[in-house]
Amino acid sequence: MGNYSIRDFVNKTQQDQLENDFFELETERVLEVNLNGEVWSKMGAMIAYVGSIKFERERMLEHGMSKMFKKALTGEGTQLMKAKGKGRLYLADQGKKVTIFDLQNESLCVNGNDLLAFEPTIQWDIHLMRKMAGMMAGGLFNVTLKGKGKVAITTHFEPLTLIVKPGETVYTDPNATVAWSGNLKPEFVTDITFRTLIGRGSSESIQMAFSGEGFVIIQPFEEVYLSSES
């Protein structure tokens, strides 16, 4: 970052004391939540807070039996944490870049590992992928978010949005796929040839196929997801 006096460094990197939106970017990799009530976030995402805030781990039946069974079936490792109270809460996830969406009665599907936080006004559900996804090591589920409110997701480096047009299927690497518009229904396709079975093989033998009209957000990084049992 260069040479600074202590005072210069503090002035350059200190937090914004003004409380603006409920979700705001303190830096491109740190989300500030101006909390006065509650918010749901990824377990372990809290890095600091100021004020009177209590944290509760997501309880087994917090979101009903159906979500509990879906989480058990997927073996997904993304558990939620509820923060309640009043103050400023700072969230981050392994230095990944944070993007905030303001949903206006829209829907967004997010890879469970890339969901950082969302307002309690947002409705959500876990969508199980097709059986073909069983060939993958993990990351085989997504969270569908809809309604009105703020949602924060994370990406490794700068995200790229691909536009899906009718008649033009977009194929992506599952480990690089972050989110997509809620109206799209991705399929898993395989391109396993003799070459992919020799040596290292290739993760590109399994792809996600998006057809219809919408968008897909990808990242320039192939993330390996670990199940909750690993």
Side-chain angles (χ1 to χ4, degrees), residues 57-166:
R57 183 177 180 142
E58 179 189 16
R59 295 190 296 273
M60 182 68 73
L61 298 178
E62 180 87 30
H63 295 104
M65 290 290 290
S66 63
K67 288 190 177 69
M68 182 192 73
F69 285 130
K70 287 180 181 180
K71 293 181 76 169
L73 287 170
T74 58
E76 62 96 346
T78 301
Q79 295 183 327
L80 298 176
M81 171 182 69
K82 182 192 294 183
K84 301 175 65 175
K86 181 175 175 59
R88 295 194 302 275
L89 172 63
Y90 299 96
L91 303 173
D93 185 11
Q94 301 182 45
K96 295 165 68 176
K97 184 179 176 66
V98 180
T99 300
I100 301 170
F101 293 101
D102 187 4
L103 299 188
Q104 297 294 325
N105 293 317
E106 300 157 299
S107 63
L108 181 72
C109 295
V110 182
N111 186 300
N113 196 60
D114 300 317
L115 178 62
L116 181 62
F118 57 92
E119 287 194 71
T121 55
I122 295 293
Q123 302 173 38
W124 65 276
D125 197 7
I126 295 175
H127 176 70
L128 304 180
M129 295 295 191
R130 298 246 176 160
K131 292 182 179 179
M132 184 63 69
M135 300 177 64
M136 302 276 300
L140 307 176
F141 67 98
N142 62 75
V143 182
T144 300
L145 305 139
K146 61 182 179 179
K148 192 171 183 178
K150 299 290 181 66
V151 173
I153 69 170
T154 58
T155 59
H156 286 279
F157 311 107
E158 296 290 336
L160 173 67
T161 300
L162 305 175
I163 304 302
V164 182
K165 301 177 181 179

Side-chain angles (χ1 to χ4, degrees), residues 5-73:
S5 69
I6 290 178
R7 176 175 294 182
D8 288 343
F9 180 81
V10 171
N11 288 338
K12 183 176 179 62
T13 62
Q14 68 179 326
Q15 79 272 25
D16 181 3
Q17 296 288 352
L18 298 177
E19 293 187 4
N20 300 309
D21 292 334
F22 181 64
F23 280 6
E24 60 181 277
L25 293 180
E26 191 61 29
T27 74
E28 65 177 9
R29 302 178 190 279
V30 177
L31 175 70
E32 178 184 299
V33 182
N34 291 301
L35 189 62
N36 187 12
E38 64 182 49
V39 67
W40 285 100
S41 74
K42 185 176 183 177
M43 177 67 72
M46 186 276 289
I47 58 173
Y49 69 92
V50 178
S52 179
I53 301 176
K54 300 294 183 182
F55 302 92
E56 299 178 4
R57 183 177 180 142
E58 179 189 16
R59 295 190 296 273
M60 182 68 73
L61 298 178
E62 180 87 30
H63 295 104
M65 290 290 290
S66 63
K67 288 190 177 69
M68 182 192 73
F69 285 130
K70 287 180 181 180
K71 293 181 76 169
L73 287 170

Side-chain angles (χ1 to χ4, degrees), residues 175-186:
N175 290 331
T177 305
V178 175
W180 55 92
S181 48
N183 61 299
L184 296 180
K185 305 297 181 184

Side-chain angles (χ1 to χ4, degrees), residues 24 54 87 207 210 227-228:
E24 60 181 277
K54 300 294 183 182
Q207 301 114 25
F210 294 88
S227 72
S228 58

